Amino acid sequence: MPDRVVDYLVRTVADRGITQIFGVDGANIEDLYDAIFDAGGSPAGIVAKHEFSAATMADGYARSTGGMGVVAATSGGGAMNLVAGLAESFTSRVPVLALIGQPPTLLEGRGAFQDSSGSAESIDATALFATISRYCARVTDPAELPAQLAAAITAAEGGGPAVLLIPKDVQQQSMPISAGIEVATGSFPRPPLTGASAPLAARTTQPPHTPAGPAHTIAAELTAARRTGKVVIIAGDQVARDNARAELAELVAALDAAIGLAPDAKDVYANTGHGYCGVAGSMGHAELGEAVAAASACLLVGTRLPVTARAGLDAALADLPVFSIGALPPYLAATHAASTDLAATITTMLSRIGAGPATVDSTEPTPMTVPEAAGPGLRYRAVVEAIQRALPPGADVFADAGNTGASVVHYLRVPERGRFTVALGMGGMGYAFGAGIGSAFARRTAPDGPHRTVVIAGDGSFFMHGMEIHTAIEHALPITFVVFNNNAHAMCVTREQLYYRDRYSFNRFQTAHLGAGIAAMFPEIPAHTVSDPDLLFETVAHSFAASGPSFLEILCDPDEVPPFLPFLSTLESRSTS
């Protein structure tokens, strides 16, 4: 029996070493699941509870493997539910392949259920997904699929999602024999990408930059700057994706540099290592700002330095020569050398810089001073420090948005060998639940042994997408969900208090007992609630010691101000006015 289009897709995914396809089933994607079954479950089909979470699972899987994640969805609302997750992958340059079912071709423009062909005033899915993908194509002919799939994979591997929209009848059609041979030999045609399918760098306007110079030129400039003062390095999450942590550490030593980390890159350099000055930006540390103000030059490594990573640093950076190496140029003026392999680029630079004095001292960044909270529950800093003490070696941490995320970014010291991810591309609430699950699938069979995954989120995020824990329970994943419950969208509460005169609140919730609720729903997993500081560490450690999933609710104060520079600056300006 000739291979169907869906068989071709599944085998291509398997041949690339991808072990899971995340998604939600439905009428116009069910043939893909049929092909997964026929393939013996390799890759496995993982059915999520919501397409947003399925997209974030593919995102988290890609971040933790350094490869590509795959997500599948049906047409209509299922496809629309992918948008927020794919937008995060787009903004954060995470390789994800989205396979999206469509109604049968003959029904397009003729009143088909969930029609998004763009015909007869229906939604145009190609136009919609083109805005949040590096490549988007509608598959209409099996003979064209090899070239389309190859172009999609190439575009995704360049950093970001690629989308194939596949009508149900096309999914069921047989592949030409020649296409089957190409899959077997791995011989994929790679057509040039143009127009909406081109990588973003080719079709967007960037801020003005010094013409891109090669890495050896930047190395020479940094060597000269090292002789006249201190070089500061700010590193981003591309270092982790390119597996360049060791090379970055060598570069810090060779330049005798101070180093800070973008908020989403706390795992790329030892948080107690030589020259460490803490986190950059709105959740950052004063030591890094002081180092930049006194520096002779700044090197950005694998970060575009968005607003969240440069808040409080703009004035000091404006007076410095700024250099950059990474996949895309930064958002501020800099001499930039493009690199999609930071390990190789840094090695090239090291050959020209030579050995440095390596006299950098380690420092303990000073936490921001936050107002004392007087409300009920535990304090953010105490909770994060207890989590840090209890984290197993090599644990992977996925932090969600809001006051919880700000506290984790600022206070947590990430253990070595683990991953740290906070979704700042779109800042979508609930991202960490799906992404942590996707990562846990990848990391439970990691070459250096299984890694426990820890998802840290607020109750607002939990109410959006927290029930994806059901997927973790179904697959017995080694993952702990830590939910800070203050019965509020607490960052919005803080904004109401600071910026809207504290006259009202739309963001305080009726009290919910999350730990008890999860324990009742899923009695087979450890589920606890803690509000007593004397029991905090013991309870956290017990949750992390579980072999499979566990759940921990931590009661917090909705009025506590987190370590977030814009909030604290507003409070300071009021106190001095």
Side-chain angles (χ1 to χ4, degrees):
M1 177 179 176
D3 276 347
R4 298 165 295 174
V5 163
V6 286
D7 298 315
Y8 180 94
L9 291 168
V10 167
R11 190 163 68 250
T12 301
V13 168
D15 288 348
R16 299 188 72 83
I18 297 167
T19 53
Q20 277 87 24
I21 295 176
F22 302 100
V24 177
D25 204 351
N28 286 326
I29 199 63
E30 61 193 0
D31 293 283
L32 182 74
Y33 287 91
D34 187 59
I36 290 171
F37 176 81
D38 285 345
S42 180
I46 305 300
V47 173
K49 306 306 172 284
H50 191 282
E51 288 86 358
F52 168 82
S53 293
T56 62
M57 288 178 195
D59 180 296
Y61 178 95
R63 294 194 200 220
S64 287
T65 60
M68 186 174 69
V70 180
V71 63
T74 192
S75 52
M80 299 301 110
N81 284 342
L82 289 176
V83 169
L86 294 182
E88 173 61 43
S89 301
F90 180 88
T91 307
S92 296
R93 300 187 59 257
V94 180
V96 170
L97 174 65
L99 305 174
I100 303 177
Q102 297 287 278
T105 307
L106 291 177
L107 297 180
E108 291 176 353
R110 303 184 65 183
F113 180 60
Q114 300 181 333
D115 188 1
S116 56
S117 65
S119 301
E121 299 185 2
S122 65
I123 291 172
D124 187 341
T126 305
L128 173 66
F129 285 102
T131 64
I132 54 168
S133 65
R134 308 298 178 188
Y135 179 91
C136 181
R138 182 177 289 271
V139 180
T140 59
D141 184 347
E144 297 174 357
L145 178 60
Q148 290 173 315
L149 181 57
I153 291 172
T154 300
E157 289 177 339
V163 176
L164 292 179
L165 302 160
I166 316 173
K168 183 176 178 69
D169 57 319
V170 175
Q171 294 177 45
Q172 296 171 335
Q173 291 178 31
S174 298
M175 288 295 296
I177 297 299
S178 59
I181 295 172
E182 285 170 357
V183 170
T185 61
S187 174
F188 291 102
R190 298 185 180 271
L193 305 182
T194 59
S197 301
L200 183 66
R203 53 185 171 99
T204 59
T205 302
Q206 299 294 340
H209 289 81
T210 304
H216 64 77
T217 301
I218 292 177
E221 295 279 2
L222 293 172
T223 300
R226 181 183 62 182
R227 299 191 191 103
T228 60
K230 198 77 163 177
V231 173
V232 174
I233 294 173
I234 302 177
D237 73 336
Q238 189 187 339
V239 174
R241 298 189 205 182
D242 290 0
N243 195 23
R245 293 181 179 88
E247 289 79 4
L248 175 65
E250 288 183 48
L251 184 63
V252 172
L255 289 171
D256 189 22
I259 180 168
L261 304 175
D264 57 354
K266 291 192 65 171
D267 59 343
V268 306
Y269 189 83
N271 291 184
T272 55
H274 289 312
Y276 179 62
C277 293
V279 177
S282 56
M283 295 159 274
H285 296 91
E287 281 81 1
L288 181 59
E290 293 165 0
V292 172
S296 58
C298 179
L299 172 66
L300 308 179
V301 181
T303 177
R304 304 186 73 188
L305 214 67
V307 169
T308 51
R310 71 174 190 272
L313 300 176
D314 278 309
L317 288 169
D319 295 331
L320 277 181
V322 178
F323 305 95
S324 168
I325 55 174
L328 293 172
Y331 291 110
L332 69 168
T335 300
H336 176 70
S339 171
T340 56
D341 185 346
L342 285 175
T345 301
I346 295 173
T347 298
T348 297
M349 293 173 64
L350 286 168
S351 68
R352 293 182 174 269
I353 292 170
T359 58
V360 202
D361 295 324
S362 59
T363 58
E364 183 71 25
T366 305
M368 294 183 194
T369 300
V370 299
E372 185 173 348
L378 299 169
R379 301 295 169 253
Y380 294 137
R381 182 175 177 180
V383 174
V384 174
E385 288 178 348
I387 289 172
Q388 180 186 303
R389 287 172 54 205
L391 277 175
D396 299 320
V397 177
F398 283 76
D400 218 293
N403 286 1
T404 297
S407 302
V408 173
V409 167
H410 187 70
Y411 294 126
L412 186 70
R413 290 203 306 269
V414 178
E416 295 188 39
R417 292 196 310 111
R419 285 252 40 206
F420 178 84
T421 301
V422 55
L424 295 179
M426 286 286 106
M429 292 177 64
Y431 164 88
F433 291 97
I437 290 169
S439 175
F441 273 109
R443 298 280 274 175
R444 67 178 174 180
T445 56
D448 56 347
H451 292 241
R452 185 151 198 93
T453 300
V454 178
V455 169
I456 308 176
D459 55 311
S461 295
F462 172 81
F463 282 123
M464 286 191 177
H465 294 289
M467 291 316 298
E468 280 298 340
I469 67 172
H470 183 268
T471 304
I473 293 167
E474 283 190 304
H475 296 275
L477 296 176
I479 185 169
T480 297
F481 299 93
V482 181
V483 177
F484 287 46
N485 186 8
N486 45 33
N487 295 294
H489 278 162
M491 183 165 272
C492 295
V493 169
T494 305
R495 294 184 65 84
E496 289 171 331
Q497 293 170 340
L498 293 180
Y499 305 130
Y500 297 93
R501 294 180 287 161
D502 198 16
R503 295 174 297 142
Y504 54 79
S505 180
F506 291 100
N507 293 288
R508 297 179 188 271
F509 304 153
Q510 179 176 321
T511 299
H513 304 283
L514 302 183
I518 293 298
M521 290 178 69
F522 308 111
E524 69 271 29
I525 73 166
H528 302 282
T529 297
V530 61
S531 60
D532 185 342
D534 293 333
L535 299 176
L536 176 60
F537 175 76
E538 175 187 346
T539 309
V540 171
H542 178 73
S543 295
F544 291 169
S547 58
S550 60
F551 184 90
L552 177 60
E553 175 193 22
I554 297 177
L555 301 184
C556 300
D557 180 2
D559 296 298
E560 180 178 2
V561 179
F564 189 65
L565 185 60
F567 293 166
L568 299 177
S569 298
T570 298
L571 287 169
E572 183 179 2
S573 66
R574 289 183 180 178
S575 66
T576 56
S577 61

